Amino acid sequence: MADYRQIMRDGIWENNAVLVQMLALCPLLAVTSTATNGLGMGLATTAVLLTSNLVVSALRNIISNEVRIPVLILLIASIVTLVDLGMNAFMHDLHKVLGLFIPLIVTNCVILARAEAFASRQSPAAASLDGLMTGLGFTLVLVVLGGVREIIGSGTLFSHASLLLGNSFSFLDITLIEGYRGFLLMILPSGGFLALGFLLAGKKWLDLRKQDREAEATRRAKIATINAMSDEEIMQQGEPS
Amino acid sequence: MHEPNQIKPPADSKPTGGIKQKMAYHPALLGGIALIAGALLVFADAGTKGEIAARQAEDLRASLTQVVGDDVHDNALLSDTIVLHAPLEFSDASGVKFYRARKDGKVVAAAFEVVGMGYSGEIRIMMSVQTDGTIMGVRVIQHAETPGLGDKIEARKTDWIKRFTGLSLGNRTEAQWKVKKDGGEFDQFSGATITPRAVVRAVHKGLAYFNAHRAEILDTKTLPGGPDAEVPHG
Amino acid sequence: MIIPPSSPHIAGPNSVQTVMLMVLLALLPGTMSGIYQFGWPALFLFLITSASAVAFEATCLKIAGKPVSFFCMDLSALVTGWLLAMTLPPWAPWWIGVLGSFCAIVIGKHVFGGLGQNLFNPAMLARTILLVSFPLEMTTWIAPRPFGTPQSLDVSAGWSITANGIPNLDAVSSASVLGHVRTEIGMGHQLPDILVSMYDPVASAVGSISGSLGETSAVLFLLGGLFLMAKKIISWHIPVALLGSVAVLAAIFHLIDPLRYGDPLFHLLSGGLMLGAFFIATDPVTSPVSSMGKIVFGAGCGLLLFIIRNWGGYPEGMAFAVLLMNAATPLIDHYIKPRIYGHEGSAIGRYFRQLKRG
């Protein structure tokens, strides 16, 4: 029985594809020059992940071990092609921007990794949830990274959001700093590396802080117990270490 | 390494395991899934083909409209074309496509794409020339120049590209078709000379080609539909 | 591995302070000459860049919980800021200097763990970030306007340039020699014709040419470098290998096609070569430890510099050459180990090696 809560936590944060597993860094750095691009790429990848996990999980009993890799690749490639065709037809402007990177989702190692490590041995429900959550975790990083690079690099946030989400979402498209000259480095791939470095450091810092707090809480609980004990009990147990 | 597959342990293998152990199972599985996936893709392709073609035609029409205003012609630019074989430096190997704009059946201008080599790769430029050899409009439709420097060739950033309108080989000498740094009359941008130089050169070449092949480009006898041709909608 | 005890003559950061003081002293004549050539805006930019470098250093040390006064007194941040200022266009706006110092000290140095831990030369890293991000500001050179001449600006006009930027860019901008040669060669002109109007070896040597502060007086930086060598603060290996390889390559190509490639003297006097060879490539943190390694490092810098100058995308390539060889330094150190440990003559080298060991 899969623990759905744990799947959600793992996918989005604790076992995040980028921040923890360090997978899929290539598309991550390539498309995150704006938050909108990050969001578009993230959602496309999420759609592929969800579908591929579902399909692989549904077929897991008939896929034999010997040919599983070619079968998985075939399934993933077909799903990506479907997404590519669909985006070209129905989100044409965004497809022009992301164009080259959509077919490359096939080579995104996160998808094969989830199919192989999770979906091929779990129920379709758990596998779909895992695909969705891993995809959302990936999207989260793409959007944050794209946002940071866009704000510092060109002073806007979610520029051209209406290309992706339709005109009703054009309010997302904000120019934060009027007349900003732009800091080109952040738009270039090297800026992606820099921003990712700081993002990883930020995650590490949050984790360490959490650890410290937990350690502190345990320590206080211990002190509280000791304070509550009588002298005889302490003598019996010896000095707490 | 797969010999053990042929010597199946009869007793303790599960029924499905037994099927999976058969040699024929793997190719059949792979083939079956390939067949299903292939069929799915064929359907998807058929379902989106029209939509994608329409979107692409829209893109093309959008860039054509930038250089050929709707008020100067009344025909469908996309269906009134002629392809000429141009030198390689000019465009891709298959030749240049000329879109002819007509008013009341008479050709008034032709639009075509030229390509310049900029600072970072190709700059695709759409330009339109009137029958007398005067430039009607020039727009950059795709480029990868440095943001903030070379991208001033975009019409939405500066008016630089509009400088070409009204120029012809007749009213400008060979020497004037250059950026100021090279002794011509076009502004370069501070910090970026290569980009404007590439655009000026490409437009100049395009104009020269138009002049040299004017008769072929404007030849009205080769046209298929004439002014009645329908605007494809998508 | 046996870690030899530190030499009894070195007492810690104080010696770093002395060494850095020597470096600053050696930089001073060239710097003053450059400021004299370009007037008040150059002085303002220089002061802003150096001061902000020290300020960022202090901030980073505070965040990292290290003693601020103790480490700031070693002057290394001041040297970084100073060197960065030497590579900026002298009339660049103030924020170029501040942002550059931020990139150098925070991204180039403290992100790697502070003094002695950085892989790349901080000043060159910052210059490259600025050049890639702000090509306009970073390639706007002006012709010299020495103090006391009619063209020189007064204090308030000078401050306005540093604070608000250059108002009429095209009126004052003037291409550097290397930049001009690059453009003209690209247009099919021949080198001797180009140089006739543009290049004067004497002017390049004394520094009355357009460029950054550090690209002006080749002779003064050469003298400063020789002073550092005489004081045994830097060894001869890197500068000689670097200048030598550039000279040899230039001679070879000049013999093959004099219409396209400049002679050795032209290359040695142009751009930031002298500053780079003596003050930047010799940075003990980011260059190899062994003598042989240093020669390989210097020659590599020279080769890359020559390639970038002649066939690359930018007219000058000192920063790129040094950064690329910085990246190769661990590899060089791996394959070329010093024969006798601690044999190096330079005190600063020893100090930084101790830091590297941790």
Side-chain angles (χ1 to χ4, degrees):
Chain A
M1 181 61 208
D3 177 358
Y4 292 107
R5 227 169 241 279
Q6 189 58 38
I7 292 175
M8 290 164 89
R9 271 207 303 270
D10 273 350
I12 290 190
W13 186 252
E14 283 173 12
N15 202 16
N16 186 293
V18 175
L19 295 179
V20 180
Q21 302 183 58
M22 299 281 177
L23 292 174
L25 300 187
C26 180
L28 178 86
L29 294 168
V31 302
T32 52
S33 55
T34 68
T36 310
N37 286 359
L39 185 61
M41 185 68 178
L43 292 180
T45 310
T46 306
V48 173
L49 256 170
L50 176 62
T51 327
S52 78
N53 264 15
L54 178 65
V55 171
V56 168
S57 167
L59 299 178
R60 70 187 187 280
N61 288 326
I62 66 161
I63 298 174
S64 65
N65 209 31
E66 285 82 356
V67 290
R68 74 184 192 288
I69 298 292
V71 168
L72 293 186
I73 299 267
L74 186 63
L75 288 171
I76 294 168
S78 311
I79 295 164
V80 170
T81 312
L82 290 177
V83 170
D84 185 39
L85 287 172
M87 279 185 74
N88 198 353
F90 307 110
M91 283 183 244
H92 188 66
D93 288 316
L94 187 74
H95 188 267
K96 273 199 286 187
V97 179
L98 296 176
L100 186 65
F101 300 106
I102 300 290
L104 288 180
I105 296 178
V106 178
T107 62
N108 188 328
C109 34
V110 174
I111 295 166
L112 190 60
R114 292 327 288 171
E116 166 84 359
F118 194 91
S120 58
R121 47 190 83 148
Q122 298 279 346
S123 71
S128 321
L129 184 70
D130 177 71
L132 181 67
M133 289 304 152
T134 308
L136 290 181
F138 184 58
T139 311
L140 177 78
V141 178
L142 281 168
V143 172
V144 170
L145 197 61
V148 169
R149 288 177 67 186
E150 190 181 349
I151 292 171
I152 304 177
S154 43
T156 60
L157 188 59
F158 282 108
S159 67
H160 308 299
S162 49
L163 289 189
L164 173 66
L165 303 162
N167 281 328
S168 47
F169 281 89
S170 54
F171 70 89
L172 276 176
D173 187 343
I174 339 168
T175 304
L176 292 169
I177 313 162
E178 285 297 335
Y180 184 57
R181 293 277 327 280
F183 187 25
L184 197 57
L185 177 83
M186 293 307 285
I187 311 276
L188 298 172
S190 45
F193 280 102
L194 261 183
L196 179 64
F198 280 105
L199 210 62
L200 293 176
K203 161 92 162 87
K204 188 95 187 160
W205 179 72
L206 282 177
D207 288 350
L208 283 177
R209 201 179 61 160
K210 195 175 157 210
Q211 242 177 44
D212 282 354
R213 282 194 180 162
E214 275 164 8
E216 175 69 16
T218 333
R219 199 175 65 85
R220 281 179 190 216
K222 220 175 200 171
I223 292 171
T225 348
I226 293 167
N227 287 344
M229 283 193 282
S230 64
D231 288 349
E232 290 81 41
E233 281 171 322
I234 294 174
M235 290 300 282
Q236 279 166 9
Q237 295 195 351
E239 280 299 311
S241 56
Chain B
M1 62 184 277
H2 281 293
E3 286 98 342
N5 286 350
Q6 274 136 353
I7 321 154
K8 280 171 289 178
D12 55 339
S13 74
K14 281 177 273 179
T16 53
I19 296 169
K20 281 189 185 178
Q21 293 298 310
K22 284 209 178 77
M23 274 302 273
Y25 181 78
H26 307 313
L29 173 75
L30 199 53
I33 288 187
L35 204 64
I36 297 167
L40 211 61
L41 288 181
V42 168
F43 281 121
D45 182 46
T48 53
K49 203 186 237 164
E51 192 74 18
I52 291 171
R55 290 285 94 77
Q56 281 166 348
E58 242 168 50
D59 285 349
L60 184 58
R61 204 176 312 126
S63 40
L64 281 171
T65 318
Q66 292 186 333
V67 293
V68 184
D70 283 336
D71 48 332
V72 298
H73 72 104
D74 54 12
N75 66 327
L77 291 174
L78 291 188
S79 55
D80 190 355
T81 60
I82 176 173
V83 177
L84 294 185
H85 289 282
L88 269 179
E89 51 176 359
F90 194 56
S91 189
D92 56 26
S94 61
V96 188
K97 207 173 205 176
F98 290 86
Y99 302 90
R100 291 178 291 197
R102 295 163 188 280
K103 188 105 184 176
D104 304 326
K106 262 187 67 181
V107 177
V108 289
F112 53 101
E113 195 187 309
V114 291
V115 175
M117 276 313 281
Y119 184 73
S120 37
E122 289 188 345
I123 304 174
R124 290 175 53 207
I125 301 158
M126 184 65 85
M127 62 186 286
S128 64
V129 186
Q130 288 168 13
T131 42
D132 64 351
T134 312
I135 293 179
M136 201 156 76
V138 179
R139 287 292 181 279
V140 171
I141 52 180
Q142 200 181 54
H143 73 90
E145 302 302 288
T146 318
L149 273 185
D151 66 352
K152 294 187 181 114
I153 52 174
E154 287 176 36
R156 60 190 180 95
K157 296 263 160 70
T158 70
D159 279 346
W160 183 85
I161 198 87
K162 295 175 182 157
R163 179 83 181 68
F164 288 101
T165 309
L167 304 188
S168 72
L169 292 185
N171 60 20
R172 290 295 182 284
T173 64
E174 192 75 14
Q176 284 172 304
W177 281 99
K178 281 184 175 148
V179 292
K180 281 181 178 157
K181 201 169 188 171
D182 304 347
E185 66 162 60
F186 295 92
D187 286 322
Q188 61 266 12
F189 313 131
S190 321
T193 316
I194 296 171
T195 309
R197 189 185 280 153
V199 175
V200 171
R201 187 180 291 170
V203 171
H204 185 214
K205 270 192 186 144
L207 192 57
Y209 187 84
F210 177 89
N211 276 320
H213 298 82
R214 196 187 317 208
E216 291 165 75
I217 295 163
L218 302 178
D219 183 13
T220 50
K221 274 165 247 155
T222 55
L223 67 106
D228 313 321
E230 208 178 301
V231 185
H233 282 285
Chain C
M1 179 184 155
I2 301 156
I3 298 169
S6 64
S7 160
H9 306 295
I10 301 157
N14 274 334
S15 69
V16 173
Q17 188 186 19
T18 322
V19 167
M20 292 296 172
L21 211 57
M22 291 289 188
V23 174
L24 295 181
L25 202 63
L27 275 171
L28 198 61
T31 311
M32 280 167 54
S33 148
I35 292 176
Y36 166 73
Q37 295 291 351
F38 298 110
W40 289 108
L43 179 64
F44 291 134
L45 183 71
F46 170 74
L47 292 177
I48 288 171
T49 310
S50 309
S52 57
V54 177
F56 284 124
E57 171 90 1
T59 315
C60 281
L61 289 171
K62 207 173 169 67
I63 292 172
K66 292 176 188 167
V68 173
S69 57
F70 180 74
F71 273 95
C72 256
M73 288 316 282
D74 71 11
L75 297 178
S76 65
L78 182 59
V79 169
T80 300
W82 189 316
L83 282 173
L84 173 65
M86 302 305 286
T87 67
L88 299 176
W91 284 23
W94 64 273
W95 53 267
I96 286 275
V98 175
L99 190 62
S101 291
F102 174 83
C103 294
I105 300 294
V106 180
I107 297 176
K109 186 176 172 187
H110 281 280
V111 159
F112 289 93
L115 184 70
Q117 306 296 322
N118 46 305
L119 188 58
F120 298 101
N121 183 304
M124 290 302 99
L125 187 83
R127 182 191 144 73
T128 308
I129 290 180
L130 292 173
L131 181 63
V132 169
S133 302
F134 307 102
L136 182 57
E137 282 80 4
M138 288 299 288
T139 53
T140 302
W141 310 106
I142 54 145
R145 299 169 167 225
F147 280 113
T149 57
Q151 310 100 304
S152 74
L153 303 172
D154 59 26
V155 185
S156 64
W159 174 248
S160 138
I161 295 232
T162 307
N164 308 318
I166 305 172
N168 189 0
L169 208 65
D170 289 329
V172 293
S173 70
S174 151
S176 64
V177 178
L178 285 172
H180 185 68
V181 166
R182 162 54 56 93
T183 335
E184 297 285 309
I185 290 268
M187 281 163 58
H189 295 164
Q190 294 184 327
L191 190 65
D193 303 337
I194 305 166
L195 291 184
V196 159
S197 61
M198 195 63 192
Y199 168 66
D200 170 14
V202 180
S204 288
V206 301
S208 56
I209 49 166
S210 62
S212 66
L213 294 184
E215 291 178 347
T216 50
S217 178
V219 163
L220 288 178
F221 288 110
L222 174 64
L223 289 176
L226 294 177
F227 166 76
L228 288 184
M229 267 192 213
K231 289 277 172 195
K232 291 210 179 302
I233 289 176
I234 58 172
S235 66
W236 59 269
H237 306 85
I238 291 177
V240 168
L242 208 169
L243 297 175
S245 63
V246 171
V248 168
L249 285 168
I252 294 171
F253 279 91
H254 186 65
L255 280 178
I256 295 174
D257 186 358
L259 296 181
R260 214 186 131 80
Y261 302 104
D263 57 65
L265 190 65
F266 167 75
H267 275 288
L268 289 182
L269 292 179
S270 297
L273 184 53
M274 286 297 169
L275 180 77
F278 288 103
F279 293 91
I280 292 167
T282 51
D283 172 12
V285 178
T286 56
S287 61
V289 176
S290 64
S291 304
M292 194 57 210
K294 284 181 173 158
I295 290 174
V296 171
F297 178 87
C301 285
L303 174 69
L304 287 170
L305 175 83
F306 191 77
I307 291 174
I308 296 171
R309 274 191 183 180
N310 284 297
W311 304 289
Y314 288 89
E316 172 62 321
M318 197 68 224
F320 295 108
V322 169
L323 288 179
L324 286 169
M325 289 312 290
N326 284 164
T329 296
L331 197 69
I332 297 174
D333 270 340
H334 180 79
Y335 283 106
I336 308 171
K337 294 203 173 81
R339 260 170 307 182
I340 305 164
Y341 211 91
H343 182 67
E344 287 313 295
S346 88
I348 182 118
R350 274 197 295 267
Y351 173 69
F352 280 112
R353 256 170 283 132
Q354 283 163 22
L355 273 184
K356 272 187 184 174
R357 265 185 262 127

